Amino acid sequence: MSLASNTASTAAGAESQTFHGSSLELKNLTMAYGDIEVLRNVSLAVPPGTTTCIIGPSGSGKSTLLRGVNRLHEPKSGDVLLAGESALQVKPDLLRARIGMVFQHFNLFPDHTALENVALALWSVKGMPKAEAREHARRRLAEVGLAERADHRPRDLSGGQQQRVAIARALAMEPEVMLFDEATSALDPELVKGVLNLMAGLAKRGMTMVVVTHEMGFARKVADQVVFMDEGEVVESGTPADLFDNPRSERLQRFLSEVL
Amino acid sequence: MDWLNTIIRTFFDFGAMAEVLPQLLGVGLLNTLIISVAATIIGVALGMIVAVMGISPSKWLRVPARIYTDLFRGLPAILTILLIGQGFARLSQSIFGPSPYPLGIIALSLIASAYIGEIFRAGIQSVDKGQGEACRALGMSYARSMALVVVPQGIRRVLPALVNQFIAIVKDSSLVYFLGLLVTERELFRVGQDAAVLSGNLSPLVMAGIFYLVITVPLTHLVNYFDNRFRTGRRRPSAPSSGLNEVKELDAASPLITGSNT
């Protein structure tokens, strides 16, 4: 239980909550698809309650790194420490229940309503009674501004709304760490900001987050740490100011000159 | 117009047709439907097991499912029905009594399950991989994510293919007559065939054929109708709207949550 409710319970569902994110650490993480190593010896420390943004070109291993953290893809070697303990020693299902993940293409369940999308794991994984799970889900949806759309199916929601349902779905599990895999890459330009604001709000309230993103503005403003990856390795990491204003490596300089 | 008369007498002798009609309705149609529906139900149940085994991460489940499917899809239906109907006659007698009827249903079920298993497997595998991943990322077990999210989506997509399979089963049910059915157990084909032999006229068989068409043709069109519905999907029609609505929606929702300075 890493979520604590504050006393203030103001408007419907708009509870001010703080998170108690856990620390996350990667130690010499190497991941491979078959014989091809797509991530080599990546080490990274994410202190509790901080946000790390991972930037870099497509194919640099950013998404693979996230999938190694919650073991959607098993690491080949190295270790992942969640709250100081090896994630590789925990049963994958138990580990994943503690780590929220938001995908580029939302991956909502199309034949479930927004409410059911959020409630599903609450009763099926957490064992919450169904009525309680729905109540819980309703509050989560209200938090992301979707109280009125609870009974819509994903196809009747815009991309931004779908992604917010997906965030609510992940948050409902009360995760210790949130992983975002290019969460705004598939959105209408106008809707990107809303989702980024939502993410920034989570960061502010103490969630530990690892965010793979192409939104340099977000990385600069919200991240405590920025990591630049290329060809499966960490090229450079540091504070946003370090990386964006004083890039040391030629590769990052080149990258920034192309994207900024 | 001699030849026309001959054709009418051979195929469309209304007297002979009317004579066989009560039997076709009371015995033939009933048995054809019982055999087909029973074989379909058992075939769907077995087919689902075969499909889930077939896409299992474990080789020990996958390989047997593969062999089973290859076997029953690869053999002619008539051969399977005879092998099972006669091969297990003893066993069947001690369970079901002397009638070969249950064995016929079982043989048809096994054949159907191989095809239905492939239909289900294709349907389940056509579900976006992200669905399973989203489940797993929430902490669901493989079995649970399949049962709650992936398989139901897969099934919905293959409903038209299942109806087609039912049509195939209806037609194959005529092969059960090879096992030698009691008079009251005869399905459409056998009733028509018996009457044709007795009267020396093919009209009763034509009548039986019409019964098959009455079952299968409407179903074929039903499939097409559903297929269209499923493909186009239903979406709530909505008026064109401004993206600003959604921007406002989020801003108004909860400044505490978004942390934005609105």
Side-chain angles (χ1 to χ4, degrees):
Chain A
M1 298 289 131
S2 58
L3 255 173
S5 299
N6 271 1
T7 44
S9 179
T10 51
E15 294 164 47
S16 166
Q17 290 178 312
T18 51
F19 301 106
H20 296 292
S22 296
S23 67
L24 182 69
E25 200 177 341
L26 311 185
K27 281 188 165 166
N28 300 319
L29 191 68
T30 295
M31 296 182 60
Y33 291 108
D35 290 334
I36 305 163
E37 287 191 352
V38 287
L39 207 65
R40 275 187 302 274
N41 267 322
V42 170
S43 293
L44 191 64
V46 183
T50 67
T51 297
T52 294
C53 283
I54 303 179
I55 60 173
S58 297
S60 58
K62 308 186 298 290
S63 296
T64 307
L65 184 150
L66 290 189
R67 300 164 68 82
V69 170
N70 68 358
R71 291 170 68 190
L72 278 182
H73 190 77
E74 290 290 341
K76 185 177 170 192
S77 63
D79 203 355
V80 176
L81 303 180
L82 177 63
E85 287 163 34
S86 172
L88 302 182
Q89 308 302 323
V90 188
K91 248 186 92 192
D93 295 343
L94 295 178
L95 173 74
R96 294 189 195 115
R98 296 167 59 194
I99 301 177
M101 188 167 193
V102 176
F103 301 86
Q104 179 177 2
H105 296 289
F106 327 136
N107 296 356
L108 293 183
F109 310 132
D111 35 11
H112 290 61
T113 63
L115 188 76
E116 291 163 350
N117 263 279
V118 180
L120 182 65
L122 288 176
W123 58 262
S124 76
V125 176
K126 285 208 158 185
M128 215 180 253
K130 281 194 183 179
E132 195 186 326
R134 293 174 68 84
E135 228 11 80
H136 208 79
R138 207 171 283 284
R139 281 202 299 277
R140 294 295 165 185
L141 283 175
E143 285 176 2
V144 297
L146 288 172
E148 319 225 309
R149 317 248 167 198
D151 298 321
H152 286 55
R153 297 197 179 225
R155 66 166 164 265
D156 297 317
L157 297 172
S158 75
Q161 290 167 336
Q162 289 190 50
Q163 194 60 297
R164 283 186 277 142
V165 174
I167 291 173
R169 177 173 73 177
L171 283 178
M173 294 297 288
E174 311 192 336
E176 298 163 38
V177 173
M178 283 285 284
L179 310 175
F180 291 86
D181 190 1
E182 295 193 25
T184 58
S185 295
L187 297 182
D188 274 9
E190 211 172 15
L191 307 178
V192 169
K193 202 180 128 209
V195 172
L196 290 180
N197 279 344
L198 188 59
M199 289 161 64
L202 299 179
K204 213 177 254 180
R205 285 157 52 231
M207 179 58 77
T208 306
M209 313 211 299
V210 182
V211 181
V212 168
T213 186
H214 292 305
E215 299 288 335
M216 297 304 148
F218 177 84
R220 184 190 278 269
K221 217 172 99 186
V222 178
D224 300 287
Q225 172 181 231
V226 178
V227 176
F228 174 65
M229 288 183 64
D230 191 30
E231 296 181 64
E233 286 171 1
V234 172
V235 178
E236 209 172 324
S237 67
T239 65
D242 284 347
L243 261 76
F244 290 118
D245 301 332
N246 300 301
R248 292 187 307 265
S249 62
E250 199 184 322
R251 181 69 189 91
L252 178 57
Q253 288 165 12
R254 178 90 193 270
F255 179 78
L256 291 176
S257 74
E258 299 294 334
V259 299
L260 286 183
Chain B
M1 299 296 266
D2 237 13
W3 57 273
L4 188 62
N5 269 331
T6 314
I7 285 183
I8 290 178
R9 244 187 299 118
T10 314
F11 296 109
F12 301 102
D13 181 334
F14 294 114
M17 282 177 159
E19 208 169 302
V20 77
L21 190 62
Q23 277 191 6
L24 280 175
L25 268 175
V27 179
L29 182 63
L30 189 69
N31 282 316
T32 291
L33 287 179
I34 290 176
I35 294 171
S36 307
V37 170
T40 304
I41 291 171
I42 300 173
V44 164
L46 289 178
M48 183 50 80
I49 295 171
V50 173
V52 172
M53 283 172 69
I55 55 175
S56 155
S58 156
K59 207 170 83 181
W60 296 103
L61 294 174
R62 233 171 33 233
V63 172
R66 196 68 251 160
I67 293 173
Y68 179 92
T69 308
D70 285 347
L71 196 67
F72 286 105
R73 271 202 327 175
L75 291 173
I78 184 69
L79 193 142
T80 306
I81 289 172
L82 277 180
L83 281 183
I84 288 174
Q86 296 181 349
F88 294 97
R90 266 257 176 89
L91 185 68
S92 162
Q93 184 151 15
S94 61
I95 304 172
F96 304 112
S99 164
Y101 196 88
L103 273 183
I105 290 178
I106 288 172
L108 278 174
S109 304
L110 294 179
I111 298 165
S113 68
Y115 286 96
I116 293 173
E118 285 296 277
I119 291 172
F120 279 146
R121 187 174 66 84
I124 294 169
Q125 286 183 326
S126 77
V127 175
D128 179 36
K129 260 183 75 186
Q131 292 291 310
E133 280 181 358
C135 292
R136 306 307 305 278
L138 286 164
M140 275 187 224
S141 64
Y142 174 81
R144 220 174 248 279
S145 66
M146 287 303 265
L148 290 177
V149 172
V150 180
V151 170
Q153 283 182 51
I155 291 178
R156 197 148 319 162
R157 275 168 215 213
V158 300
L159 280 180
L162 282 183
V163 179
N164 277 331
Q165 190 56 41
F166 178 73
I167 291 171
I169 294 170
V170 168
K171 292 186 288 181
D172 279 355
S173 68
S174 60
L175 296 172
V176 172
Y177 93 93
F178 266 100
L179 300 179
L181 298 168
L182 304 177
V183 175
T184 53
E185 293 171 346
R186 292 174 304 164
E187 36 62 57
L188 285 172
F189 170 75
R190 187 65 211 234
V191 171
Q193 163 79 354
D194 284 351
V197 169
L198 275 177
S199 64
N201 181 297
L202 286 176
S203 303
L205 261 184
V206 171
M207 197 64 210
I210 291 171
F211 269 84
Y212 280 109
L213 293 179
V214 166
I215 301 174
T216 56
V217 171
L219 280 177
T220 317
H221 289 280
L222 194 71
V223 170
N224 292 341
Y225 171 74
F226 274 127
D227 208 21
N228 273 329
R229 283 274 304 259
F230 279 104
R231 219 160 336 139
T232 40
R234 276 166 303 161
R235 199 170 187 284
R236 292 185 196 200
S238 58
S241 63
S242 163
L244 284 177
N245 292 342
E246 191 171 333
V247 176
K248 271 189 236 137
E249 171 186 287
L250 191 59
D251 283 345
S254 159
L256 285 171
I257 300 304
T258 61
S260 61
N261 30 6
T262 44

